Amino acid sequence: MTTDNLLRNLEELQAKALDDLKASSSQEAVEQWRVAYMGRRGELTQVLRGLAPLAPEERRIVGAAANKVKALLEEGLAGAEDAIKSAALQAMAEQGRIDVTLPGRPVPLGRLHPTTQILREICAAFVSMGFQVVEGPEVEWDHYNFEMLNIPKDHPARDMWDTLWVDHVDEQGERPMLLRTHTSPMQIHTMENTEPPIRVLVPGKCYRYEATDATHESQFYQVEGLAVDEGITFADLKGTLYEFARLLFGADRKVRFRVDYFPFVEPGAEMAIDCFACKGEGVGCRVCKGTGWIEIMGAGMVNPKVLEGVGYDSSKYTGFAFGMGAERIAMLKYGIEDIRLFHNNDLRFLGQF
Ligand code: FA5
């Protein structure tokens, strides 16, 4: 073949290769193209191999032209590969495109149950006065729920606590186990396990065999308090509970103590605060039912019999105790009219706190 023919062949090869490359729009097609022209048996490779038998002068001319074609095809190949890569990237970006101007979807945030909130508030108030928070069992012995609290069997005061008994019979044929009706048994557990000075606060669930209504549930929370030391007086009880009422219900609260009966305290008292809704005026007020006062807890000086029952010297130690219903405090504080709402799991109710 003459040099001219060889050069014309090269020109045709170049034109055909570049046309083919233009038509190769996928990665696979471009790879096939590379193999067809520049692979080991590719068309251009064959031409380059065919240079060997040529005369030196001819080889120089055709070789230079062939190398030019080779460089051109390599350049074309790199360009085609780049174009395919950026087209793929572009398609990915289009598919997963985020519209940053769209408003976000609100994430529903959970919150604490109103009972948990009030328990924390009550605990924080007493912790600030040096009380320590402890918890106790919900399944109790008659011994702790009643006996050690100066409420022996057949004592009429047992009627104050409608009891749910656990179906467990002992050797004497008695049922000594129950669901605690109040948190007061923790007074005994604490005193049995510690020496004065004692200042504890016991939040916890209680159970009573009671019909439910707007202010009564068969499961509810109480918060118990107990302080025992040398020289504790009724003035300490009043001062502590007065401070509590101010912390929870506002600095200008007034408190009222009236005599009440609980077998484990002597004297016993019921504590009320002046109604924060009507400022104690009463007339027509739904919160205090027109009395101007709201009862919030039972309290009193620990009965010396109870102190002696746990082995304390009642001539040396005195103490005070109190117990309040947590939901009732929450009802007062947040203006909730029905205690049954606490357990309904209604988000319209729970979302308000
Ligand atoms: C007692 O349970 C005594 N242990 C309180 C006490 C402790 C007095 C220490 C003296 C010294 P009472 O039965 O009144 O007392 O209950 C206390 C509070 O628990 C009530 O004021 C009320 O707020 C709450 N409570 C009682 N029964 C229910 C009920 N069925 N549902 C919701 N709350 C209740």
Side-chain angles (χ1 to χ4, degrees):
M1 214 184 276
T2 64
T3 308
D4 282 350
N5 280 345
L6 282 170
L7 289 177
R8 202 171 315 117
N9 279 359
L10 266 176
E11 253 173 54
E12 279 168 15
L13 174 65
Q14 177 185 318
K16 186 159 81 81
L18 291 179
D19 278 352
D20 278 359
L21 187 57
K22 248 191 229 156
S24 310
S25 54
S26 69
Q27 191 132 21
E28 293 77 39
V30 170
E31 176 58 11
Q32 272 172 18
W33 177 91
R34 189 191 64 77
V35 173
Y37 289 97
M38 298 163 78
R40 274 189 332 125
R41 297 209 184 93
E43 288 187 39
L44 181 64
T45 318
Q46 309 267 23
V47 172
L48 290 169
R49 277 202 198 119
L51 296 178
L54 297 183
E57 181 55 14
E58 214 180 4
R59 196 185 326 142
R60 197 181 53 77
I61 298 170
V62 181
N67 278 335
K68 251 196 213 151
V69 175
K70 188 179 175 211
L72 213 78
L73 295 198
E74 274 172 353
E75 199 181 305
L77 175 68
E81 279 174 345
D82 280 355
I84 285 168
K85 264 191 213 143
S86 54
L89 276 175
Q90 177 77 17
M92 257 164 64
E94 301 254 323
Q95 259 176 19
R97 196 159 65 184
I98 299 169
D99 181 353
V100 291
T101 63
L102 270 183
R105 283 189 209 120
V107 180
L109 270 189
R111 59 184 77 199
L112 293 176
H113 192 278
T115 310
T116 310
Q117 290 188 37
I118 202 75
L119 285 171
R120 290 192 180 182
E121 260 191 78
I122 296 169
C123 289
F126 284 102
V127 164
S128 76
M129 291 185 265
F131 282 73
Q132 189 186 350
V133 177
V134 295
E135 286 182 298
E138 291 175 22
V139 178
E140 262 297 359
W141 300 105
D142 179 315
H143 179 75
Y144 288 101
N145 197 82
F146 292 125
E147 299 274 333
M148 295 292 282
L149 287 166
N150 194 30
I151 317 169
K153 286 199 175 52
D154 307 321
H155 191 292
R158 286 208 178 197
D159 295 345
M160 290 161 73
W161 294 278
D162 300 291
T163 308
L164 286 155
W165 296 92
V166 173
D167 213 1
H168 161 79
V169 181
D170 66 11
E171 292 104 53
Q172 284 84 44
E174 309 254 354
R175 280 191 299 177
M177 213 188 251
L178 47 81
L179 296 183
R180 68 175 172 197
T181 58
H182 50 178
T183 39
S184 301
M186 270 306 283
Q187 291 186 29
I188 308 300
H189 288 299
T190 307
M191 289 192 282
E192 278 186 347
N193 294 314
T194 354
E195 286 297 312
I198 289 173
R199 262 180 275 168
V200 290
L201 196 74
V202 191
K205 214 170 197 186
C206 304
Y207 302 82
R208 292 192 193 177
Y209 186 57
E210 266 184 61
T212 58
D213 62 25
T215 53
H216 292 84
E217 264 288 5
S218 50
Q219 299 178 39
F220 57 96
Y221 281 87
Q222 280 192 348
V223 181
E224 187 89 8
L226 174 71
V228 184
D229 201 354
E230 287 179 48
I232 289 194
T233 68
F234 203 91
D236 297 310
L237 164 64
K238 285 180 85 170
T240 306
L241 296 183
Y242 188 28
E243 178 62 10
F244 163 71
R246 284 158 45 93
L247 284 171
L248 228 78
F249 293 104
D252 49 356
R253 285 287 65 75
K254 294 195 193 82
V255 297
R256 181 189 74 181
F257 288 87
R258 290 204 303 196
V259 173
D260 201 352
Y261 172 70
F262 299 96
F264 35 93
V265 286
E266 184 58 38
E270 150 234 293
M271 177 184 158
I273 55 175
D274 64 325
C275 178
F276 49 85
C278 65
K279 303 270 180 292
E281 282 172 15
V283 194
C285 177
R286 280 169 47 189
V287 176
C288 63
K289 301 196 178 71
T291 62
W293 293 95
I294 304 166
E295 291 164 18
I296 60 168
M297 68 176 99
M301 299 304 289
V302 180
N303 193 321
K305 281 190 192 161
V306 173
L307 293 175
E308 272 148 30
V310 296
Y312 284 4
D313 179 353
S314 66
S315 65
K316 184 172 172 198
Y317 294 117
T318 50
F320 66 78
F322 56 86
M324 67 189 96
E327 288 89 350
R328 296 265 185 94
I329 302 273
M331 289 169 81
L332 292 173
K333 179 142 192 192
Y334 304 134
I336 300 166
E337 288 184 351
D338 196 320
I339 197 170
R340 289 166 293 197
L341 289 166
F342 285 88
H343 291 299
N344 277 357
N345 268 350
D346 186 338
L347 289 177
R348 288 168 302 178
F349 168 72
L350 297 173
Q352 294 176 44
F353 303 96

